[in-house]
Amino acid sequence: ILAAVIAAFVFGMSSNIDTNKQVAATASASTNATCKTVSITYMGGPDAQVVTGVKYTLDGGTSTWLNATTDTNKPEVGLTKQVGGTRGEKNHVVVTAFFSDGSSQVILDTNV
């Protein structure tokens, strides 16, 4: 076993292992007498410095930048976006982060 582990490092087999970045987002919903609001918050994390942008979708709709009001798509930690949800049912929220190495990963997939 030890020889196999050493060979894996020597021959570069371990360099092909993907690692997940550590950033997070949250989603919550509030409903009043006339409407439902879904709040999506970018929480950051240990890998926040390599985030180049964050997009969200609500119920499989169009993917939208979380921080679309500035020159950059990179949101500040703690930024909250509020969007209209569907009253009386759960809304499916998916948040994807994009990184400086060209990778992306889903950081939230939930129903609120």
Side-chain angles (χ1 to χ4, degrees), residues 6 10 14 36 41 48-50 53 70 75 77 79 82 92 103-104 108-109:
I6 292 171
V10 170
S14 63
K36 178 179 180 180
T41 303
Q49 71 277 5
V50 294
T70 64
V77 173
L79 175 73
Q82 295 182 328
H92 185 214
S103 66
S104 64
L108 179 67
D109 186 346

Side-chain angles (χ1 to χ4, degrees), residues 25-27 57 91-96 106-112:
T26 62
T57 61
N91 293 104
H92 185 214
V93 179
V94 177
V95 181
T96 304
V106 172
I107 60 172
L108 179 67
D109 186 346
T110 191
N111 293 298
V112 293

Side-chain angles (χ1 to χ4, degrees), residues 1 7-8 23 27-28 30 33 46 49 52 60 71-72 74-76 98 106-107:
I1 293 173
V23 292
S28 62
S30 61
Q49 71 277 5
T52 58
D71 295 335
T72 178
K74 181 177 182 174
E76 294 292 323
F98 297 86
V106 172
I107 60 172

Side-chain angles (χ1 to χ4, degrees), residues 80-101:
T80 298
K81 176 83 171 194
Q82 295 182 328
V83 294
T86 305
R87 274 188 89 217
E89 60 186 72
K90 296 279 187 177
N91 293 104
H92 185 214
V93 179
V94 177
V95 181
T96 304
F98 297 86
F99 302 96
S100 58
D101 65 0

Side-chain angles (χ1 to χ4, degrees), residues 44-81:
D47 294 311
Q49 71 277 5
V50 294
V51 171
T52 58
V54 176
K55 282 187 168 185
Y56 71 90
T57 61
L58 184 66
D59 297 325
T62 303
S63 183
T64 306
W65 291 108
L66 190 64
N67 191 30
T69 59
T70 64
D71 295 335
T72 178
N73 292 320
K74 181 177 182 174
E76 294 292 323
V77 173
L79 175 73
T80 298
K81 176 83 171 194

